[in-house]
Amino acid sequence: MDGVQYKADNQTNELFKHNTGEASFVFHDYPQRAIVASIFIIASIVGTCGNSLVILAVILSRKLRNATNAFVVNLSCADILTSLIIPWNAVALLSRSGWPISPWVCSWAAGVLFLCVGSSLYSMALIGLNRLVLITRPKQMYNQIYNDKTLIIWIGSTWIIPFCIAIVPPLCKIGSLGYNSKYSSCSAQSTAPHTDIYDAIMALGLYPLPFVLIIISYVKIFLYVRSHTRTMTVRVSKDASNEAEKDMVVTIKDPNRSSTKDVFKKRQMQITKNMFYVVCAYFVCFTPYGLCLLIDSSDPAIPYTAALVLINGCINPFLYGTKHPMFKEVFKHMLRCNLNQIPEQSSLLRVFTGRN
C-alpha cells in the first residue's frame, strides 16, 4: 500500500511541475541513488564510531573537561544522532517503489536529521565564540560567561534554535517533513504547501547565522593576536635597547609567572587554530548545500551536496585526533587499550581499572 501511495505522490509531483512550468528533475537514476546511499552508510558507520570516541575520551579523562569541550561533546552528540538517522535515507534511496514502511518513520527521521544538523552548526559557532572570549577577555569574565549554569543555556540554545527553524514551520503547515519522491529521501516534501518558504527558512536560518558568528569570532581572534604580537615585539625591542636594564628586570621579575602566562596563551592559540580546521571543514561541507537550497536550477546537485553535509560529522573526530593535542593523547591510549596511561583519569575510569 505504501509503495502504491508514493507512486501516486510521484505522479502528482510530475503533474504539479508540468502545470507550473518548473524543471522536471526527479532523482530516478538508480546507480546514482545507490552511490549516494553507499556514502550515507559509510558516513553513518564512521561518524558513529568517531564521535563515540570523542565522547568517551571526555568521560575517561578529566583533562578534557572544560567549557570548550562541553560544546565539542554537544557537537559529537548531534553528529552521532545524525549518523544513526541517515541509514533511513539510504533505505529510501535504495527502495525502487517509494518509501517501503510507515510514512511517519520517514517524517520522524527527517525532523531529527534537520534538528541534529542544525545543532551541529550552532555548536561550531559557539565554539568559535568561546575561543574568542577565552583569548581576548580576562579569565574572570570568561568564568562568569561560561560557568556550569550558563553552559546549560548555551548548549540548550544549540537545540532550541534549530528546533524553531526546522520543526516549528511544518507544525504550522509551512512545508512538511516526510518522504520526498523528487529526491527519494526523508526530508522536506516537495509537493507540500509553502515548500519554497520552508526551504528559504532552512537555508537562511541554519547557515548564515552560524556563518556570521564564526567569521566574526575568528577575525577578532586574528586581529587580537596580531595586535598582541606587535605589542610584544615593541616591548622586546625597548628591553633590548638597554641590556643592563633588561638584565636587572629579568633578575627582579619572577620568570615563572611570565613564562607560565606565555605558555598558556601559546597553548590556547594552538587549540584555537585546531578548532579553526573544524570550521574550515564546516564551510567546505555546508556551503554547497546552502547555495543549492537557494538556487532553483541546482536540483540535480542536491543529493550529492546533502551527502557532503553528512560527511562533515565524520571529519570532526579525525581533526580532533590529529590536530588537538589533548584529544590526540587520550585517543592514542584508548586505541592502544592503554587505559592506565590516560592522563588525569576520571573516577569512572579509576574504578574500571581498579585504582580506587
Side-chain angles (χ1 to χ4, degrees):
M1 290 297 293
D2 290 332
V4 173
Q5 175 186 350
Y6 284 110
K7 285 180 181 178
D9 288 345
N10 192 36
Q11 293 172 354
T12 302
N13 191 26
E14 293 294 336
L15 180 61
F16 169 78
K17 286 182 246 182
H18 176 74
N19 291 337
T20 57
E22 294 185 8
S24 57
F25 172 81
V26 177
F27 197 35
H28 278 318
D29 192 320
Y30 195 79
Q32 291 192 50
R33 286 165 55 178
I35 291 172
V36 175
S38 299
I39 295 173
F40 284 175
I41 293 171
I42 294 171
S44 175
I45 296 171
V46 176
T48 301
C49 296
N51 287 288
S52 296
L53 279 177
V54 173
I55 295 173
L56 186 59
V58 177
I59 291 175
L60 297 182
S61 176
R62 290 180 288 107
K63 188 176 182 179
L64 292 172
R65 297 182 184 178
N66 53 51
T68 300
N69 288 344
F71 293 109
V72 170
V73 169
N74 185 63
L75 174 62
S76 293
C77 288
D79 287 342
I80 282 180
L81 287 174
T82 300
S83 299
L84 294 174
I85 289 297
I86 55 178
W88 290 115
N89 270 313
V91 171
L93 285 164
L94 294 175
S95 175
R96 294 181 181 272
S97 58
W99 181 248
I101 55 179
S102 180
W104 71 265
V105 176
C106 198
S107 300
W108 174 82
V112 173
L113 183 63
F114 287 157
L115 177 63
C116 293
V117 170
S119 179
S120 296
L121 292 172
Y122 278 92
S123 294
M124 284 186 277
L126 292 186
I127 287 173
L129 181 62
N130 175 270
R131 306 311 301 177
L132 173 65
V133 176
L134 178 61
I135 290 174
T136 64
R137 295 292 181 266
K139 188 174 181 180
Q140 183 179 3
M141 178 183 293
Y142 176 83
N143 291 335
Q144 289 176 347
I145 296 174
Y146 293 102
N147 56 51
D148 291 343
K149 292 182 180 179
T150 57
L151 272 176
I152 295 175
I153 298 174
W154 284 112
I155 292 175
S157 68
T158 67
W159 294 94
I160 294 172
I161 296 174
F163 180 85
C164 294
I165 293 171
I167 307 299
V168 171
L171 295 177
C172 298
K173 307 302 181 183
I174 300 175
S176 180
L177 298 174
Y179 181 74
N180 187 324
S181 55
K182 182 176 181 178
Y183 301 111
S184 299
S185 64
C186 296
S187 58
Q189 294 180 320
S190 300
T191 56
H194 310 298
T195 295
D196 292 341
I197 297 176
Y198 181 59
D199 286 345
I201 292 173
M202 290 281 289
L204 297 175
L206 293 183
Y207 184 78
L209 292 178
F211 174 84
V212 170
L213 187 56
I214 288 171
I215 290 296
I216 291 175
S217 297
Y218 284 97
V219 167
K220 282 184 171 291
I221 290 173
F222 171 77
L223 294 176
Y224 175 84
V225 171
R226 187 176 65 174
S227 175
H228 181 71
T229 302
R230 288 177 177 175
T231 302
M232 293 300 294
T233 301
V234 171
R235 185 177 301 173
V236 169
S237 298
K238 288 181 178 180
D239 289 341
S241 64
N242 191 331
E243 195 66 29
E245 182 180 348
K246 179 182 177 182
D247 292 339
M248 184 179 298
V249 170
V250 171
T251 302
I252 297 174
K253 189 176 180 181
D254 181 4
N256 293 328
R257 181 177 180 183
S258 177
S259 61
T260 301
K261 184 177 180 181
D262 290 342
V263 169
F264 175 78
K265 284 288 185 181
K266 183 178 180 180
R267 185 179 66 181
Q268 294 306 322
M269 281 308 305
Q270 181 63 38
I271 292 173
T272 300
K273 184 175 74 172
N274 296 333
M275 289 299 180
F276 184 68
Y277 293 142
V278 176
V279 173
C280 291
Y282 154 76
F283 287 134
V284 171
C285 293
F286 282 89
T287 300
Y289 184 71
L291 293 176
C292 285
L293 289 179
L294 297 175
I295 301 174
D296 292 336
S297 60
S298 64
D299 286 352
I302 283 184
Y304 296 97
T305 56
L308 191 59
V309 167
L310 299 177
I311 288 174
N312 182 74
C314 307
I315 295 175
N316 292 339
F318 289 102
L319 291 175
Y320 299 143
T322 57
K323 297 296 183 181
H324 195 296
M326 289 183 285
F327 273 106
K328 184 176 182 179
E329 182 180 4
V330 176
F331 281 178
K332 179 182 68 175
H333 296 307
M334 289 171 57
L335 294 175
R336 293 178 179 178
C337 297
N338 294 328
L339 299 184
N340 288 327
Q341 302 299 318
I342 291 178
E344 299 185 28
Q345 297 180 14
S346 66
S347 56
L348 178 65
L349 178 56
R350 292 178 69 86
V351 168
F352 180 77
T353 57
R355 292 197 171 189
N356 261 4

